[in-house]
Amino acid sequence: MPTPTILAALDEASEPEITTTAITTTMTEDTAELTTEAVITTASPELPSDVMEQLIDTAQSLNTAYPNAIGWLYIPDTVINYPVMQSDDNFYYLDHAYDGSPLKAGSVYLDYRCEGRFQNPINIVYAHNMKNGSMFAQITRFKNDSFFESHKYGWLATPEAVYRIDFFSLAVADWHDDLYKGDTSISEWIPHIYDKSAVSREMTYTADDRFVSFSTCSYEFENARNILTGKLVEVKEA
């Protein structure tokens, strides 16, 4: 897994860049009003070369040891810091660890119908909502407006690339909802996500963009799912 130093670098890159500018305006000859203005910009999708190399090395080493391991997922301020697996069905990793051993908590895994390097326009990743808070249990924290607004990014490393995940929706839907249809056109899929969203933010996109949704069980109604979705933005070396 990535070292604490690498995770700290990702945490830092997840923070918005804030520039504060003080502006003084003279109201009369005797008084003046001081106005402080904060300008917030999004973090640049760039990482130092050593961080990039270590993240890709981690994904490559994992894939060499366990061929079904296709990447590493990290979401700051949560326990989500896991390898991402993929098998030839959507059942095996419900109760198996990344090394193939039986495990009740299962693994984080990409839908078997998706291309294994997240090259599909729509990529669906699953994991259990464990009572002990592990796996994808903390996806549900994104339903809180404050948490959602202060946690805008996740990170995904594959053997070939590193991606920043720009979150824009936490949806609540049935497990058979059209959100899980990866062959839906983006022009139809994105509006449907917003229709199902408990919280969301505006997001610009093109027909060439790729997206990833993280799905886990929820309990708003029978067979409910919480689905955290973001846009994949490939990271460049700073």
Side-chain angles (χ1 to χ4, degrees):
M1 64 180 291
T3 66
T5 299
I6 296 303
L7 297 181
L10 295 180
D11 290 341
E12 182 178 356
S14 298
E15 295 295 326
E17 299 171 355
I18 302 177
T19 303
T20 303
T21 305
I23 304 171
T24 302
T25 302
T26 301
M27 305 301 293
T28 68
E29 291 183 358
D30 302 318
T31 64
E33 181 177 291
L34 180 66
T35 302
T36 301
E37 184 177 85
V39 180
I40 301 177
T41 59
T42 57
S44 172
E46 295 182 346
L47 291 171
S49 59
D50 61 324
V51 174
M52 290 277 291
E53 290 172 4
Q54 289 193 46
L55 287 169
I56 290 175
D57 285 348
T58 295
Q60 289 176 343
S61 297
L62 189 64
N63 181 250
T64 298
Y66 307 102
N68 280 359
I70 59 173
W72 195 280
L73 173 66
Y74 175 63
I75 299 180
D77 252 357
T78 74
V79 301
I80 299 172
N81 181 27
Y82 298 115
V84 182
M85 312 303 292
Q86 187 180 40
S87 69
D88 56 5
D89 60 47
N90 282 342
F91 304 104
Y92 182 79
Y93 284 110
L94 284 172
D95 55 10
H96 285 83
Y98 67 92
D99 61 0
S101 62
L103 182 66
K104 183 178 179 180
S107 297
V108 175
Y109 64 95
L110 178 67
D111 193 299
Y112 78 100
R113 295 165 293 186
C114 296
E115 192 279 330
R117 291 295 184 264
F118 296 89
Q119 296 301 307
N120 285 22
I122 299 169
N123 304 273
I124 311 293
V125 177
Y126 308 95
H128 289 304
N129 180 350
M130 299 301 292
K131 291 182 179 179
N132 66 2
S134 65
M135 306 313 292
F136 275 3
Q138 293 188 352
I139 290 291
T140 61
R141 296 176 69 186
F142 284 84
K143 285 190 293 186
N144 177 278
D145 288 337
S146 177
F147 190 88
F148 182 79
E149 285 303 318
S150 61
H151 296 80
K152 297 184 177 181
Y153 305 115
W155 301 89
L156 174 67
T158 73
E160 296 83 21
V162 177
Y163 298 94
R164 189 184 70 189
I165 307 164
D166 293 7
F167 297 128
F168 65 89
S169 165
L170 187 289
V172 180
D174 182 86
W175 68 323
H176 283 153
D177 194 88
D178 287 348
L179 291 182
Y180 294 101
K181 293 183 177 179
D183 58 353
T184 305
S185 69
I186 293 298
S187 61
E188 296 178 0
W189 188 72
I190 295 294
H192 186 58
I193 285 180
Y194 280 115
D195 286 344
K196 294 289 184 176
S197 293
V199 290
S200 63
R201 65 174 58 89
E202 292 185 8
M203 181 266 309
T204 59
Y205 66 95
T206 71
D208 296 326
D209 283 327
R210 288 174 284 142
F211 302 87
V212 60
S213 291
F214 302 105
S215 174
T216 194
C217 294
S218 185
Y219 304 102
E220 290 86 351
F221 49 85
E222 186 176 1
N223 294 323
R225 298 292 186 270
N226 280 178
I227 308 156
L228 178 65
T229 300
K231 181 169 67 173
L232 289 170
V233 181
E234 187 167 355
V235 179
K236 306 299 182 182
E237 290 186 7

